[in-house]
Structure formats: C-alpha cells, structure tokens
Amino acid sequence: EPEVTQTPSHQVTQMGQEVILRCVPISNHLYFYWYRQILGQKVEFLVSFYNNEISEKSEIFDDQFSVERPDGSNFTLKIRSTKLEDSAMYFCATLRDFSSYEQYFGPGTRLTVT
Amino acid sequence: AQSVAQPEDQVNVAEGNPLTVKCTYSVSGNPYLFWYVQYPNRGLQFLLKYITGDNLVKGSYGFEAEFNKSQTSFHLKKPSALVSDSALYFCAVRDRHSGNTPLVFGKGTRLSVIA
C-alpha cells in the first residue's frame, strides 16, 4: 500500500538555523499538507498546498515558514530561523483529490531546537 | 470556526471489555468526521470516517463510531478491547462544504488497555 514518507525522522538544530523537512507524497495525490504536534498537545494545521501554490495557511505559518515542491516529487517545509518553540513533530499529509475524504499522514519528523 | 472536543485525556479499560472514546464537534455546516490513531513514535493512522448515510460506521481493527447529529458527537467504540489497542486516539473534523479544508483535531485521548 502506498505511503507518505518523511525525512529525516529526527532533526536537531540550533536556534536561528534553517531547517528543511522533506516529504514524499503518495504519487497520485494532489493536495498536500503540513501539520505539527508540540509534545503533549494536539495536532495543528500549518499549511495546505495544491497546484504548486499555497491553498490555505494558519496563523502559525508566518514568514519564517515556506513550502515548495521543487522537483515534482518532494514536498518541503522550510523554517528559516528556528526558534525554541518550533520544537515539535511535523507531519506531512496528502489527499488524493478534491472528492476524497481521508488524509494520509507520514510518520513525522521530530524537530528539536536547542 | 470548527472545533473538536475530546473530554477525556485518558481512558483505561480491561482487555476484553468494551471501550468508548468520546468526541464532540462544532462546525458551521455538515461535518466530515474522522478518527485517527497514533502509536508511539509513529504517524497518524486513519481508522474510520463518517461522510453521510448510516450513522454507525465501521473501520479498521474492529473499531466503529456512531454519528449523533443532535448531540454533535462521534464517539469511537470497540466491543472487545485488546492490549494492542493501547495508543493515542484523535478525533478530527472537516467542514463538508469546504473542499480540501484541513482537518481540525481534538487534543487526543490516550487509551490504555490492561491485560
């Protein structure tokens, strides 16, 4: 069964550094999402992406964040200058098409900012 | 605005007993409702969904959920719990009229099944 994959599984970085989290969506899916889960808290939406542009973003997704799909396969989340409060598990999710229902989640990347 | 409430942080149940994990929701239109499970150090796995039709929906691993429109609830149930069901369970909602709108999650309920 096709799966969403994410790399790396764990990233440790120093405050102020840039990080790029990578996701490989399921091949025939068209909508992509990033969510995050701060330890012990609920999963929160960051951004959705369709047809090479952002569809929707939350208040969390400020100017420090960006997304792109540079090569038509990988879907990336970049944090330009990480803060301690960016430490979280970041999940990529995909949706097959507009008429689909369930989103498929990757295993997540644990980001630790020190 | 959409929201989901999971009133219990933790649910403990003995193996073989029925289990219920509660969820209530609030949306402006008709809802798409979902349950996901998260095992330790893993991502979210889809369990089941309610879109339309029969209020009782069946999903993976013997789980089912009952949609109750008047009570705006979507409780997750299983007739006989297994130790392997121990995990973190998330209820989520999406507004039906908003296409690919992102999911809004509850805070999660940790289920512990005791042998």
Side-chain angles (χ1 to χ4, degrees), chain A:
Chain A
E1 184 176 338
E3 292 182 333
V4 178
T5 60
Q6 291 184 242
T7 55
S9 57
H10 190 191
Q11 173 95 43
V12 181
T13 189
Q14 290 187 328
M15 194 168 51
Q17 296 297 304
E18 174 184 285
V19 294
I20 297 176
L21 310 183
R22 291 181 170 81
C23 167
V24 178
I26 296 173
S27 63
N28 61 343
H29 285 203
L30 300 178
Y31 294 89
F32 314 123
Y33 306 81
W34 283 102
Y35 292 83
R36 80 172 185 190
Q37 183 184 29
I38 295 172
L39 185 64
Q41 300 185 24
K42 64 180 176 181
V43 178
E44 301 173 291
F45 166 71
L46 292 178
V47 64
S48 59
F49 191 84
Y50 170 71
N51 200 26
N52 286 319
E53 59 183 32
I54 291 173
S55 304
E56 188 173 342
K57 59 184 180 179
S58 71
E59 293 177 351
I60 303 168
F61 194 86
D62 61 21
D63 292 344
Q64 293 297 315
F65 291 89
S66 63
V67 289
E68 62 177 0
R69 199 174 183 212
D71 56 8
S73 60
N74 288 294
F75 175 51
T76 63
L77 174 69
K78 181 191 292 185
I79 309 175
R80 290 189 183 82
S81 179
T82 51
K83 304 186 285 288
L84 293 176
E85 54 265 37
D86 293 328
S87 295
M89 182 75 92
Y90 288 80
F91 293 108
C92 174
T94 71
L95 182 72
R96 189 182 66 210
D97 54 41
F98 191 82
S99 63
S100 300
Y101 305 115
E102 62 266 29
Q103 295 176 18
Y104 292 85
F105 283 77
T109 293
R110 181 170 298 284
L111 176 65
T112 302
V113 182
T114 61

